[in-house]
Structures are given as C-alpha cells and as structure tokens.
Amino acid sequence: MMINIKNAQPIIRLTAVSRRFSLESGEVEVLHDINLAINSGEMVAIMGPSGSGKSTLMNILGCLDNPSSGHYWVKGVAVKQCSVEERARLRREKFGFVFQRYHLIPALTVIENVAMPARYAHWTRAARREKAQRLLNELGLRGFENREVSRLSGGQQQRVSIARALINGANIILADEPTGALDSQTGKAVMQLLQKLHRQGHTVIVITHDPEVARYAERVVQLVDGRMVSDSHFVDKEVIYRHVNSKAVLTLAPLPCPSTEPRRWHHRCESIFDVLISAWRTLSAHRLRSSLTLLGIVIGIVSVVTLNAAGEGAKQYVMKTLSSLGGNVITLYAGKGLGDDDTAGVRSLRERDLTLLAAQPWIRTLSPQVNLNLRVRWQRADTAVNVNGVGADYLDTVSLKAVQGRSLLARDIEQHAAVVVIDENLLKKLFRRQQNPIGQTILVGNLPCRVVGVMRNTSALPANIFNLWLPWSTANSRLLGQDWFNSIAITLQDEVQTPRARIALQTLLTRLHGRQDFYLQDSSAFISSIEKTSFALTVFLSLIALVSLLVGGIGVMNIMLVSVTERTRETGIRLAVGARPRDIQWQFLTEAVLLCMIGAAIGVTLSLTMGGLFSLFVQSWQLVYSLESLLMATCCAVAVGIISGWLPAWRAARLDPAEALTRE
C-alpha cells in the first residue's frame, strides 16, 4: 500500500542552494541555485550524467557538506546554522547512507559494522546487538554476524550497508549509486529492498545515472551541469511497483534510541570498552607495522625501568657498604669538638657513661674503644700493629667476619682476658702458610696474649695496616693502666632516628658530666650526600632512558599519521554514520595510548626477567625494582601515547566527511 504524500510536509527543503569549490585555476560552481522540497515518505531519484553535481547534492542533503550559499532545512532545522556536533547528530538520527562501494570497515565483523551508528548514538551493547541481529535476519543474512565483511559477496555487503543505515531508525535513506558495483540481478534485488523500505514509510533518495534504477522511484529530479532541469512524477503505478514482491515486506519494529537519556556509569564503561576493542582490532589488522612500532616503546620502557632499578640497586649497594661502618651508629669522643687542641688531655668518657647509656632502651649495643700502637712478636716475626681495645659487640658493628676461631665474648671483657683477634693481614705477617694461628700465644707489647680468632675485613676500614683487637678492659688495666676511653660506639635500634638520638645523648651526658666535654659524630651527613648523589645519578640515567622512549613516541606519531592517511575513507564512513569529531579523536588517541601501554607491559615484563637473570650471576649487587618505578614507567608510556597520538587524532577529527569518503 502506498503512502499518501499529497498532504505531507516537506522533510527536506533546499532554497537557492549553490556549491562552489576553490581551485588553483579559480572558483568552480558545481551546483547552481537548487530549489528542492522532498516530502516525508517519498522515493526520489536524483538523476544525471557524471559531473552533473548529483553526488555533491547528496553530500549536502546528508549533512556531509555545506552549501556555499542558500538555505537547507531538515525537518524544519536550518542545517547551515548547526554546529559540527549538531550536524553529526542529524546524520546519526535522521539519515542512513547506502554507498556504491558499500563503505564497510574491514577490521570489523558484519554485526559490528551494522551496529556502529548505534554505538555512536550511545545505545547499550545489548540493545544495539539485538537490533543489528534482527536487521540481519530480515535481510537474509542470518549466520553471517561474525563473518569478515571482505568474505561477503557484493550483494551481501550492500545489504549489510542497508542494515547499517536502518539501525538507528533513520527516516531518510540516501543511496548513492546503490547498484553501481553490482550485477543486474543483485542490483534488482537491492532496488526492490529500497522500494520496500519506501512502502514502509521511509523517505528514500537514490542518486543514480541509470534510467532503469530511476524507474523504481515515484519521482525523478534531473540534474545537468549543476542545475535542476526537471522534477517529474511517474503516473504509471504498475510500472513503479512491477518488481515488488509483496510477500517479502520488512516489518521492523523500532527500538527506542537512548541517546537523549542520561548516560549511566555502566554505559560510559561500555563506551570506553568499545573504543578499546575497536582500537585493538585496528592494531591487530596491521600486526607487522604495530609490532615494529611497539619495538621502539618496548626498548624505551626497558631502558627506563632497568636503569632506574640499576640506580636503586647501586644506591642500596653503597648504603650496605657504608653500613659496615655502622649505618646507625653514633660515636662519642672526648673533647669539645673535632680539631680541639685540648682533646688529648680530656678524660671525660668513663665506665659511668657506659652504665647510664646501657639503661636506655633505644640503644642496642655499646662498645668503648681505646687505641694504641704496639709491637707484636711471634717467634721471629716482629711488626708494628694498631691495637684496639673494644667491647664484645664492636666487631659485629663494623662487620668483621670471623674466618677462623671466634670473636670477643662478654666474659673476656669481664675477666680482663689476655685474648686477641687478628685480621688476615697480620695473620700473613706473623704465621706461615697452612699454620693454624688459633691458640698460639703472641706478645702484644709486653703482654702475652692467646689468639682466639681471625677476622676478614668486609668494611671500609683501612686494609693497608695490621689490626688487632682485644678486650677494652684488658687494654686499660694490663697495657695502659687507665680508666677512661678514647671513644664509645653506640648502635641505635633500627627504628630510632639519628638526629633525635643525638639530642637525647647530648642531654643525658651533659646532665651527667655537668658540662659538654664530649662531641658526637655519625655518618648521617655522609649518607645523605651519598643518597643525593645516587638520586642525581638515577635521574640522569632515567633522562637518558626517556630519550629512547621519546624516540619510540616519535615512531608512534609517525605511524599514526600514516594510519590517518591510510584510513581517511574509514574516518569518512564513521563521520557519515554519525560519529562526532571528538569520537574520531578518541578513536585514534586510544590506539596510540593502547599501543604504548602494550609496549609498557612488554617492557616491564622484559625488564623484570632481565633482573631475575642478572641476580643469578651477580649476587652482591641486585637490580632493585619498586612499584613506584613501574608505575612511573607506565605513566611515561601513557604520556608518550597521548603526546604522540594527539596530533594525528586532531588531524583525523578535522577531516571533511564528504572529502574523506572519496579518498582511495
């Protein structure tokens, strides 16, 4: 049954529309003073030879292009006054396009191509898939949903494009040479399908140069050299509908479009997921190119993460080495300060200080120290030795490792025992090879002492002199005849901060002595200097690594710019079905960021693997990874993706839809 259009209001109206293009040779007018009104429910054929301006007119009708002069209304909306976003909405909600070359996106499946306009209209994934499935079923494409569009015949691809045109419930169907790439039988089937849509109430506008195609319409508008020369209706209704198969009429119940409803959080999540999936499909479609681009990002991320881990590992290695001197140790010295001339005569550090300090819970160990130089003899060997009177914990404090025998014990201090511990240098000086020194008696000054241990110097203590350690009580009572110490080494609990401990020590000892006749030294300033130097070195290495990451980012930008050029037609298709410029921009930007994030994931994995392999061969120095460094590398990759992808995305978003569709 035909739609009665005599009393219908114009759905499309053009008044004095002209379109001019600027060329190097001058301005060319393609359309001149077009006046046209198309009523709702009409089937109109715009006919003319090649170069007559019919495709340009279609672009204007479909809001893909703007007239140079004149006015154009769609359902009373003045298109010339619409913004880019508003024209995109008109294309998305009012128009459906059927192109001669189908204009399907190869990276998407059949159902994804059909559902694409609904995605830009913010339909839920379930709703658009349901509608797309129904359209494919009614168009005879059941079972083709997940097939690649390149594996379809020409007629099948054209039916997919028709389904895409109908997905958003568009009332106006614009068909540009819909049978131009089809054989006669397939072309006839496509025209019958368009005619059925017209009988349902759709406004169908067919652009063609073929009189046989035009005869399916009830109205023919003839263009010649950009001018409308005739506008006529067919009167032979039998001719108009002679090809219609009345048994196959589409009965598509419209689904409500949720584009005007507030978007909920799960809709936004679906939109983000859709963009990510689309970006992944595009990258997967160009595996080799994506992989080569990815390589630059991977190298950059591996450099950033590995050099950062190496810098942190070097820092910890240095700090561990420094801790051999007592990383959390404060040393008390007699006198007013370093360089005091009267220090040698000050006798302020005594056993009462040990008693007071031993009662403090935040002090872990105490070790007084007295120093003197004596001759040490054993059999024929005779040498000068640095003799250290120390406490039982001192050797552990300075990280001396026993290679033979034992260290000093608390009972040695209490008993004023004549026992000594020597270092490996003194061992080589006094004893012959393979001779066991443990239990041997050596003469320290005039005091016979028994050797109970040999120590290996693993700290930064001087290794070019001979060292010998014995109980401080023995040194004071049996060698020096004194009751005072040169210094007291205080080891703090791990959680105690050195600055606070210094203040507490000064308060306690000043109160005990009645004056400050001592001074304190610790390695905090030196350690702070080392940390600053290590940090500066790490930053320097990271900056070098960031250069390689930047080079990878330039590679991403280059590939994305090439991708924009290669995919100009795809961009035009997306714009034609209702994508906004920001949708296009997000699409390309997401591809760049996704590529960099994949590179970051691979780079971090490779770096961690390299660190694991490195630890198998080097035990003393490890690559130290931290969550902060991994997050920093990932953020750098995302930043590179945004920076490198912004320009290509910006260029893609500003492509002219009509021009983009004609690019090869």
Side-chain angles (χ1 to χ4, degrees):
M1 181 177 180
M2 280 190 61
I3 303 296
N4 184 3
I5 63 171
K6 291 182 179 180
N7 299 321
Q9 296 298 319
I11 193 172
I12 287 176
R13 185 155 60 93
L14 290 82
T15 303
V17 167
S18 298
R19 183 67 173 102
R20 293 176 291 274
F21 294 94
S22 297
L23 303 176
E24 293 182 0
S25 57
E27 195 173 63
V28 176
E29 188 173 57
V30 178
L31 291 178
H32 177 72
D33 200 26
I34 301 296
N35 294 282
L36 179 65
I38 299 176
N39 295 323
S40 179
E42 280 192 293
M43 185 171 184
V44 180
I46 298 177
M47 188 176 174
S50 179
S52 62
K54 57 184 184 297
S55 293
T56 302
L57 179 58
M58 188 207 75
N59 290 336
I60 293 175
L61 292 175
C63 300
L64 297 171
D65 197 6
N66 291 317
S68 302
S69 61
H71 301 281
Y72 172 40
W73 292 270
V74 177
K75 286 194 172 183
V77 177
V79 177
K80 195 171 184 178
Q81 298 176 5
C82 291
S83 65
V84 174
E85 298 277 337
E86 290 169 337
R87 287 200 299 272
R89 183 172 181 176
L90 281 175
R91 292 194 297 269
R92 186 167 61 245
E93 297 180 359
K94 306 300 182 186
F95 292 94
F97 292 89
V98 180
F99 300 101
Q100 176 182 359
R101 296 292 180 183
Y102 326 126
H103 285 346
L104 303 175
I105 299 178
L108 303 180
T109 62
V110 168
I111 198 166
E112 288 171 339
N113 269 280
V114 174
M116 183 168 53
R119 169 188 154 191
Y120 293 125
H122 305 302
W123 290 44
T124 65
R125 176 178 285 271
R128 65 176 181 257
R129 190 171 184 86
E130 177 188 350
K131 183 69 178 289
Q133 185 66 62
R134 290 175 55 197
L135 285 167
L136 290 173
N137 292 346
E138 297 196 32
L139 291 171
L141 293 173
R142 182 190 297 272
F144 289 83
E145 298 85 357
N146 299 314
R147 186 170 297 187
E148 296 177 3
V149 292
S150 58
R151 296 173 56 195
L152 302 180
S153 66
Q156 290 171 332
Q157 291 189 55
Q158 195 63 290
R159 278 186 281 168
V160 171
S161 69
I162 293 173
R164 182 182 63 192
L166 297 172
I167 186 74
N168 281 350
N171 191 41
I172 305 170
I173 306 298
L174 282 170
D176 182 19
E177 298 284 4
T179 64
L182 304 175
D183 59 77
S184 58
Q185 286 299 114
T186 306
K188 185 184 297 184
V190 169
M191 289 309 303
Q192 289 175 7
L193 185 55
L194 292 174
Q195 202 173 57
K196 293 169 190 176
L197 293 173
H198 159 55
R199 295 188 66 187
Q200 270 191 273
H202 291 275
T203 302
V204 180
I205 303 173
V206 180
I207 310 299
T208 184
H209 66 279
D210 188 349
E212 285 298 316
V213 172
R215 290 182 63 81
Y216 284 87
E218 60 186 9
R219 179 182 174 189
V220 176
V221 174
Q222 186 79 30
L223 291 181
V224 175
D225 295 332
R227 299 175 184 271
M228 197 171 77
V229 296
S230 67
D231 183 358
S232 57
H233 291 262
F234 283 124
V235 295
D236 186 357
K237 306 303 181 189
E238 183 180 351
V239 174
I240 296 173
Y241 298 108
R242 62 180 176 175
H243 298 298
V244 175
N245 180 0
S246 59
K247 294 182 181 180
V249 180
L250 291 173
T251 56
L252 299 175
L255 288 175
C257 177
S259 60
T260 58
E261 299 177 2
R263 297 181 64 193
R264 298 179 180 178
W265 65 269
H266 57 277
H267 291 169
R268 295 183 184 275
C269 291
E270 278 195 349
S271 297
I272 295 172
F273 182 74
D274 288 335
V275 173
L276 288 173
I277 290 296
S278 181
W280 173 253
R281 291 278 180 84
T282 302
L283 295 177
S284 299
H286 303 87
R287 291 184 181 87
L288 181 59
R289 185 174 68 189
S290 299
S291 299
L292 293 175
T293 308
L294 202 63
L295 185 60
I297 299 298
V298 170
I299 293 173
I301 292 296
V302 168
S303 301
V304 170
V305 175
T306 303
L307 290 179
N308 189 278
E312 184 64 25
K315 174 184 173 182
Q316 292 194 13
Y317 178 76
V318 171
M319 298 307 296
K320 182 179 178 181
T321 303
L322 289 176
S323 69
S324 64
L325 289 173
N328 206 17
V329 172
I330 297 177
T331 305
L332 286 171
Y333 293 95
K336 295 180 179 179
L338 190 64
D340 183 9
D341 294 336
D342 298 328
T343 297
V346 178
R347 308 288 187 263
S348 58
L349 300 180
R350 300 176 182 271
E351 288 194 50
R352 61 177 182 169
D353 299 301
L354 295 181
T355 303
L356 175 64
L357 295 175
Q360 307 306 315
W362 42 273
I363 295 178
R364 186 167 63 189
T365 63
L366 290 169
S367 177
Q369 187 174 7
V370 291
N371 305 101
L372 64 158
N373 289 313
L374 294 174
R375 304 294 298 185
V376 173
R377 296 182 294 275
W378 187 77
Q379 295 181 356
R380 296 181 180 180
D382 184 354
T383 185
V385 176
N386 183 30
V387 178
N388 304 280
V390 298
D393 297 318
Y394 180 79
L395 298 180
D396 291 333
T397 301
V398 294
S399 299
L400 289 174
K401 181 181 179 182
V403 291
Q404 293 184 46
R406 63 175 175 85
S407 180
L408 297 178
L409 303 177
R411 69 170 182 266
D412 298 328
I413 311 298
E414 296 172 359
Q415 298 171 1
H416 297 232
V419 294
V420 295
V421 173
I422 63 176
D423 67 3
E424 289 184 304
N425 292 332
L426 186 55
L427 169 68
K428 296 175 183 178
K429 178 67 177 178
L430 297 179
F431 300 95
R432 296 187 299 273
R433 285 186 179 182
Q434 308 301 326
Q435 188 172 11
N436 186 6
I438 305 302
Q440 301 293 338
T441 300
I442 62 176
L443 196 62
V444 180
N446 295 319
L447 179 66
C449 296
R450 180 167 54 91
V451 178
V452 296
V454 178
M455 294 292 161
R456 174 172 296 161
N457 189 352
T458 60
S459 71
L461 288 174
N464 58 346
I465 61 174
F466 302 123
N467 285 286
L468 176 149
W469 298 271
L470 75 166
W472 64 265
S473 57
T474 305
N476 272 359
S477 63
R478 303 177 69 174
L479 288 177
L480 296 172
Q482 64 183 34
D483 61 353
W484 47 270
F485 316 117
N486 297 110
S487 63
I488 299 176
I490 302 170
T491 305
L492 306 175
Q493 299 289 353
D494 291 337
E495 66 275 7
V496 178
Q497 297 179 355
T498 302
R500 297 182 62 182
R502 287 176 62 97
I503 296 173
L505 286 170
Q506 287 178 340
T507 303
L508 286 171
L509 296 176
T510 302
R511 188 180 303 162
L512 178 65
H513 294 188
R515 59 176 179 164
Q516 186 169 339
D517 51 3
F518 59 90
Y519 65 95
L520 305 166
Q521 281 191 343
D522 62 72
S523 58
S524 58
F526 182 60
I527 291 174
S528 177
S529 176
I530 291 295
E531 287 180 338
K532 290 179 181 179
T533 304
S534 177
F535 176 75
L537 181 61
T538 301
V539 171
F540 176 69
L541 293 175
S542 297
L543 289 176
I544 294 175
L546 284 174
V547 171
S548 62
L549 187 58
L550 180 62
V551 172
I554 294 173
V556 172
M557 181 183 293
N558 181 50
I559 291 301
M560 293 306 299
L561 286 171
V562 172
S563 180
V564 169
T565 303
E566 289 182 349
R567 295 162 57 195
T568 299
R569 177 177 289 184
E570 175 190 328
T571 302
I573 296 169
R574 293 182 183 274
L575 291 170
V577 300
R580 299 162 296 183
R582 59 180 174 179
D583 294 324
I584 301 300
Q585 190 163 1
W586 272 111
Q587 178 71 37
F588 281 91
L589 192 59
T590 302
E591 290 175 17
V593 173
L594 181 60
L595 190 65
C596 290
M597 289 185 68
I598 294 173
I602 296 174
V604 167
T605 303
L606 284 177
S607 182
L608 293 175
T609 303
M610 290 169 59
L613 293 174
F614 183 79
S615 65
L616 295 177
F617 299 98
V618 181
Q619 301 296 327
S620 59
W621 180 31
Q622 304 293 315
L623 297 181
V624 179
Y625 299 91
S626 64
L627 180 61
E628 291 78 7
S629 66
L630 299 181
L631 290 177
M632 181 196 72
T634 304
C635 291
C636 286
V638 173
V640 167
I642 293 173
I643 295 171
S644 61
W646 184 86
L647 178 60
W650 181 83
R651 290 185 59 180
R654 278 150 184 77
L655 287 173
D656 179 76
E659 182 183 352
L661 283 170
T662 60
R663 293 275 187 91
E664 293 296 336

